[in-house]
């Protein structure tokens, strides 16, 4: 691979992809990690079959050559091993009679709190692996880790609130205790752009609600799960968390086809999500919770504060290379503003820093997936063929593993970039005259997650809010699209999401409302009170 690169923060490719000796000692990836362990039924199993090599998006530079950097190897499990993990999860659930599902939410919360304490101690190792496996900047890797701990606390708090709302006053002669019961076995699958945070976004609620789990880490961001295996093994009853590795077709489809997965929590592409759901033989018994693709638009209306719009659009489109489902993936700018907007955008773009994850202030780093630069070049070539131009001098330059930030204009509905989710630092800009053009885009788009609206005049925004909230999951006013803060519901429509992914909502999606009821009488009240006081009855949390 050759490294012909342009960079505004690095004078030469040599500076962009450093030689080994130029990597600061505390940010080196460390020795090759060869992992044969996986977690089933409370034990580390040792896989003696084939291993999958895990490469970093950051290649090794030897003189002027770039070579793939091998970080480690993980088990490439087969179907039988995956099914064994599922059987362990089923046995731990034991048709609802297992230790974990009957423990009650209060005691499960105590275990998860301890899990959080032990997880916090893994920060340095996990952050380093996040940086090397996903090329995420140090700041973003640390933020992902810390956010995961915060989400755990939020889930614990939300679970506590669920518990305290259980008692229902007698009505029509019936007194009742309402609560939530687990769904059964959950399959938790996170994405490679937020491998820790978004795997835990469903794993923690699944466990808190008493489900047992099979987890498969994503292809990138897989080694960072190794230090966590021991935490689950040591803290949870056997079989409550089982961690498998391998190719999706080999290990995930058989799990789904078995019909023994009760809840599928998946964050990734709609194509994979759909294939998994379709594989389930009894789809009515499957609860799917999914965060999928998106093609969020920013719309800059006449008279908007362009400085602010540009700042937010740069951040929204390019932070972490645009590899966020919530990234701004197309910018609609009113024709009266477009030339000034582009001018400011290009000025801002020149200040955006590229580099390696450990360098201060970098937004743009190598892309996670090796195939992504070639895909972005395809989209770019298609746009250029159909009349668009690259606006910034370094845009589209180079080959190999690096794709520079590239602004393209004017983008039209004739181009693939109009509808395909680029998931990279390729920024399409559209000039529009009438709002109906934006409406057409929203209507034709396969996705409907969020939108960012830039305007100063309330009279412009007022008529738009109602139609927009009926089309997407979140309308951002004068700011970029994003998931957080995490107490807000995060979902979408069309092919963007199934259910809502915030802590409180996932707790309810991964559980069912259930009721213990009795004819209201002094005797049944005594019985209910004694159940509440009993340590053997987890459903009735001790008051
Ligand atoms: O990649 C999709 C994520 O859910 C985006 O989350 O807005 O916090 O980066 P974020």
């Amino acid at each position: 691979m050759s490294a012909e690169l342009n960079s505004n923060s690095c004078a030469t490719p040599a500076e962009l992809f450093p030689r080994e000796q130029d990597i600061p000692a505390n940010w080196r990836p460390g020795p090759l990690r060869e992992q044969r362990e996986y977690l089933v039924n409370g034990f580390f199993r040792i896989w003696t079959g084939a291993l999958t090599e895990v490469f970093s998006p950051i290649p090794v530079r030897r003189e002027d050559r770039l070579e793939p950097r091998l970080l480690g190897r993980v088990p490439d499990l087969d179907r039988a091993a995956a099914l064994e993990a599922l059987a362990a999860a089923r046995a731990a659930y034991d048709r609802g009679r297992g230790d974990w599902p009957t423990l009650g939410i209060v005691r499960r919360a105590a275990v998860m709190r301890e899990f959080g304490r032990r997880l916090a101690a893994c920060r340095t190792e996990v952050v380093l692996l996040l940086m090397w496996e996903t090329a995420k900047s140090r700041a973003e890797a640390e933020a992902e880790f810390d956010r995961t701990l915060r989400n755990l606390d939020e889930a614990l708090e939300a679970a506590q609130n669920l518990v305290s709302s259980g008692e229902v006053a007698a009505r029509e002669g019936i007194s009742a205790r309402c609560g939530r019961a687990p769904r059964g076995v959950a399959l938790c699958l996170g994405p490679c752009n937020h491998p820790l945070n978004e795997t835990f976004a469903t794993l923690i609620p699944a466990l808190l609600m008493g489900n047992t789990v099979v987890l498969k880490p994503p292809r990138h961001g897989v080694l960072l799960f190794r230090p966590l295996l021991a935490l689950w093994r040591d803290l949870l009853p056997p079989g409550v968390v089982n961690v498998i590795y391998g190719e999706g077709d080999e290990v995930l489809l058989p799990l789904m086809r078995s019909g023994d997965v009760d809840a599928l929590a998946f964050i990734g592409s709609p194509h994979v999500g759909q294939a998994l759901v379709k594989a389930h033989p009894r789809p009515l018994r499957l609860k799917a919770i999914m965060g999928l693709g998106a093609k969020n638009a920013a719309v800059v209306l006449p008279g908007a504060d362009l400085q602010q719009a540009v700042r937010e659009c740069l951040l929204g489109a390019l932070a972490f290379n645009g590899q966020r489902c919530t990234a701004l993936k197309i910018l609609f700018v009113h024709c009266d503003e477009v030339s000034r907007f582009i001018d400011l955008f290009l000025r801002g773009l020149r200040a955006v820093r590229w580099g390696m994850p450990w360098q201060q202030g970098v937004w743009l780093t190598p892309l996670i997936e090796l195939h992504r630069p070639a895909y972005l070049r395809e989209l770019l070539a298609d746009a250029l063929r159909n009349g668009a131009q690259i606006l910034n001098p370094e845009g589209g330059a180079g080959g190999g593993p690096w794709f520079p930030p590239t602004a393209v204009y004017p983008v039209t509905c004739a181009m693939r970039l109009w509808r395909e989710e680029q998931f990279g630092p390729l920024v399409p800009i559209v000039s529009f005259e009438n709002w109906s053009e934006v409406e057409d885009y929203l209507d034709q788009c396969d996705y409907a997650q969020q939108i960012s609206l830039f305007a100063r005049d309330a009279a412009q925004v007022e008529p738009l809010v109602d139609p927009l909230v009926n089309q997407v999951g979140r309308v951002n006013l004068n700011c970029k699209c994003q998931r957080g803060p995490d107490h807000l519901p995060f979902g979408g429509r069309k092919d963007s999401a199934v259910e809502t992914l915030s802590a409180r909502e996932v707790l309810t999606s991964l559980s069912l409302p259930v009721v213990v009821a009795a004819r209201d009488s002094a005797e049944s009240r005594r019985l209910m009170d004694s159940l509440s006081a009993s340590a053997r009855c987890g459903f009735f949390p001790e008051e």
Side-chain angles (χ1 to χ4, degrees):
M1 275 181 276
S2 72
E4 300 160 43
L5 302 163
N6 285 324
S7 163
N8 56 353
S9 62
C10 307
T12 66
E15 280 176 61
L16 193 59
F17 289 110
R19 294 163 306 176
E20 290 309 277
Q21 61 267 35
D22 297 332
I23 302 172
N26 49 335
W27 296 116
R28 294 197 181 140
L32 192 80
R33 291 161 170 84
E34 179 144 316
Q35 177 185 336
R36 289 195 170 272
E37 309 80 37
Y38 60 109
L39 182 65
V40 173
N41 204 24
F43 290 99
F44 284 175
R45 299 283 169 89
I46 304 300
W47 176 245
T48 53
L51 298 177
T52 304
E53 295 184 313
V54 180
F55 290 98
S56 172
I58 306 166
V60 177
R61 179 171 174 265
R62 295 193 208 291
E63 292 168 359
D64 60 353
R65 271 180 314 115
L66 296 177
E67 293 170 9
R69 178 190 298 274
L70 185 64
L71 292 174
R73 298 185 179 89
V74 292
D76 185 14
L77 299 185
D78 60 15
R79 177 176 175 277
L83 285 170
E84 212 182 319
L86 180 60
R90 277 236 85 80
Y93 191 68
D94 191 17
R95 286 178 280 161
R97 298 172 307 190
D99 289 345
W100 188 250
T102 58
L103 192 58
I105 198 163
V106 174
R107 272 169 279 176
R108 286 195 297 264
V111 177
M112 297 314 293
R113 210 167 277 119
E114 176 57 23
F115 174 79
R117 273 193 286 273
R118 296 191 193 187
L119 176 63
C122 302
R123 187 177 190 265
T124 307
E125 189 175 3
V126 171
V127 165
L128 184 71
L129 283 166
L130 260 175
M131 287 164 62
W132 281 99
E133 289 196 75
T134 67
K136 183 170 281 203
S137 71
R138 174 190 168 185
E140 296 213 45
E142 288 175 342
E144 175 166 351
F145 189 91
D146 297 341
R147 182 182 193 179
T148 306
L149 290 180
R150 270 200 318 278
N151 292 162
L152 198 154
D153 287 340
E154 272 171 30
L156 287 168
E157 197 184 314
Q160 184 56 47
N161 293 339
L162 281 180
V163 173
S164 31
S165 58
E167 188 91 50
V168 177
R171 197 158 155 178
E172 295 173 32
I174 298 289
S175 61
R177 159 62 75 169
C178 295
R180 312 275 324 175
R183 289 191 170 267
V185 174
L187 177 58
C188 293
L189 308 168
C192 63
N193 60 339
H194 294 294
L196 179 78
N197 182 265
E198 292 203 328
T199 305
F200 276 57
T202 60
L203 172 73
I204 298 296
L207 291 174
L208 269 172
M209 298 319 286
N211 301 279
T212 61
V213 170
V214 177
L215 179 162
K216 187 180 103 59
R219 189 189 299 265
H220 306 275
V222 55
L223 293 168
L224 62 89
F225 281 82
R226 175 62 186 87
L228 313 182
L229 298 188
L231 309 191
W232 290 312
R233 180 197 58 189
D234 297 345
L235 276 171
L236 295 165
V240 171
V241 171
N242 305 275
V243 184
I244 60 170
Y245 297 83
E247 284 303 312
D249 286 358
E250 177 69 15
V251 298
L252 296 179
L253 287 177
L255 298 190
M256 295 307 294
R257 286 190 192 116
S258 73
D260 279 340
V261 172
D262 302 302
L264 171 65
F266 171 79
I267 301 175
S269 79
H271 164 74
V272 175
Q274 189 147 304
L276 291 171
V277 171
K278 274 189 170 167
H280 199 289
R282 295 189 184 94
L284 294 181
R285 294 191 188 183
L286 178 71
K287 179 71 180 180
I289 297 134
M290 297 190 176
L292 303 165
K295 182 87 180 172
N296 293 341
V299 185
V300 181
L301 295 174
D305 177 340
L306 289 190
Q307 302 273 4
Q308 183 180 23
V310 162
R311 236 182 0 257
E312 293 287 332
C313 286
L314 281 166
L315 194 59
L318 294 175
F320 190 31
N321 310 302
Q323 299 169 126
R324 299 160 55 242
C325 63
T326 46
L328 290 175
K329 297 192 178 111
I330 189 161
L331 312 182
F332 283 81
V333 186
H334 191 268
C335 54
D336 290 349
E337 308 285 4
V338 75
S339 90
R340 213 157 68 83
F341 177 90
I342 287 177
D343 195 42
L344 290 170
F345 190 86
L346 295 180
R347 219 180 293 167
L349 190 54
R350 285 197 285 276
V352 170
R353 293 207 54 185
W354 321 354
M356 292 296 113
W358 52 86
Q359 291 172 326
Q360 198 71 28
V362 289
W363 280 13
L364 294 160
T365 51
L367 301 184
I368 308 172
E369 300 158 300
L370 287 178
H371 73 268
R372 186 64 54 179
Y375 171 66
L376 295 175
R377 284 184 194 106
E378 252 180 51
L379 293 184
L380 180 59
D382 172 75
L384 299 181
R385 258 197 313 276
N386 284 289
Q389 288 182 355
I390 298 174
L391 296 178
N392 52 320
E394 67 280 7
W402 183 263
F403 191 87
T406 303
V408 191
Y409 174 79
V411 167
T412 68
C413 61
M415 301 169 194
R416 288 173 62 190
L417 203 39
W418 176 272
R419 46 184 189 278
E420 292 184 31
E421 183 184 18
Q422 65 270 41
F423 214 72
L426 180 54
V427 188
I429 302 176
V430 181
S431 168
F432 76 97
E433 194 176 350
N434 298 311
W435 177 257
S436 61
E437 294 164 59
V438 177
E439 278 293 346
D440 287 347
Y441 169 79
L442 296 176
D443 193 38
Q444 288 153 18
C445 190
D446 286 337
Y447 303 111
Q449 189 197 59
Q450 300 191 11
I451 192 168
S452 288
L453 212 50
F454 293 92
R456 255 196 276 236
D457 185 357
Q460 285 176 308
V461 180
E462 281 159 15
L464 304 181
V465 172
D466 287 339
L468 285 176
V469 294
N470 293 344
Q471 289 178 83
V472 297
R474 171 165 161 168
V475 178
N476 300 279
L477 300 177
N478 296 310
C479 63
K480 70 181 173 76
C481 299
Q482 62 185 39
R483 185 166 37 129
D486 292 331
H487 68 280
L488 297 177
F490 174 56
R493 297 161 183 264
K494 296 193 192 169
D495 294 346
S496 281
V498 178
E499 299 284 326
T500 303
L501 278 166
S502 326
R504 197 167 31 128
E505 282 81 1
V506 180
L507 287 169
T508 48
S509 300
L510 286 172
S511 61
L512 286 159
V514 282
V515 178
V516 174
R519 287 215 179 280
D520 191 40
S521 67
E523 198 177 329
S524 63
R525 277 196 294 275
R526 259 198 311 280
L527 178 59
M528 292 280 205
D529 286 349
S530 112
L531 292 172
S532 290
S534 166
R536 294 175 62 201
C537 193
F539 181 74
F540 285 78
E542 292 157 71
E543 308 292 341

